[in-house]
Amino acid sequence: MEKITSFKVNHIDLLVGLYVSRIDYVNNNPVTTFDLRYTRPNIDEVMDTASLHAIEHLGATFLRNHKIQNEIIYFGPMGCRTGFYLIVSGEKSSKDIYPIVKEMNEFIVNYQGLIPGASARDCGNYKDLSLSGAKKFASKYLNEFLNDPKEEQFIYPN
């Protein structure tokens, strides 16, 4: 069996950043998958599930209400708990989506109130959400990347 694309990424040298993971075509229409890498794999602390889950709820809510809402296909966590995948319609670069990702993380850091969907009716694991944890990891992502991005944080390492 051939390795899937995400297992071909050099995780040893991977930095906190924003990467194009892949571009696929569905009925000849491009779909871009972005890798929003919040922590360095196998080096930084991985995100606990409550923080990861809260970022998913807040991030998805933000994106589904943003002016690009009709381009959003999916936003959700990586199984390794080091980041998220954002899938959008169209062929886009990391720099195209960067302002929206920055805005989303600023939204998370500044968010106050109940996390959207934090009820038994709306979520299958509503008790496992941490707003403070979401803010911690969104702040880390802003400080280590989004507030002062470097070119190498947009390009997968070899």
Side-chain angles (χ1 to χ4, degrees):
M1 244 189 219
E2 185 179 333
K3 276 187 184 182
I4 62 172
T5 304
S6 61
F7 295 153
K8 294 178 183 178
V9 174
N10 175 355
H11 286 74
I12 294 170
D13 297 324
L14 189 59
L15 301 172
V16 171
L18 174 59
Y19 307 94
V20 171
S21 175
R22 58 188 295 142
I23 298 174
D24 296 296
Y25 290 85
V26 179
N27 296 326
N28 295 320
N29 297 308
V31 175
T32 306
T33 301
F34 292 98
D35 172 336
L36 284 64
R37 195 63 64 151
Y38 279 59
T39 68
R40 288 198 65 193
N42 305 305
I43 295 173
D44 292 346
E45 166 191 17
V46 296
M47 288 182 265
D48 60 283
T49 59
S51 300
L52 189 81
H53 192 191
I55 292 172
E56 177 195 15
H57 277 233
L58 291 163
T61 299
F62 173 84
L63 292 165
R64 298 282 183 192
N65 284 281
H66 194 275
K67 64 184 176 189
I68 67 154
Q69 64 184 331
N70 293 328
E71 298 174 44
I72 303 299
I73 295 171
Y74 173 78
F75 174 73
M78 296 176 178
C80 62
R81 296 182 293 144
T82 62
F84 295 84
Y85 287 116
L86 171 59
I87 304 173
V88 300
S89 63
E91 187 169 337
K92 297 188 177 20
S93 73
S94 295
K95 291 182 181 176
D96 292 333
I97 207 78
Y98 164 83
I100 296 155
V101 172
K102 184 173 188 214
E103 191 179 342
M104 179 184 79
N105 281 275
E106 290 168 342
F107 168 80
I108 293 168
V109 167
N110 294 311
Y111 188 82
Q112 297 190 5
L114 297 176
I115 295 171
S119 71
R121 182 187 176 282
D122 298 340
C123 177
N125 193 14
Y126 78 98
K127 292 180 183 177
D128 191 29
L129 291 161
S130 171
L131 181 57
S132 63
K135 289 178 179 234
K136 170 187 154 185
F137 285 104
S139 291
K140 177 188 182 310
Y141 195 48
L142 282 161
N143 293 332
E144 293 183 16
F145 167 59
L146 294 168
N147 288 336
D148 186 23
K150 309 290 186 273
E151 193 62 34
E152 62 267 20
Q153 292 175 292
F154 291 105
I155 302 164
Y156 275 143
N158 292 324

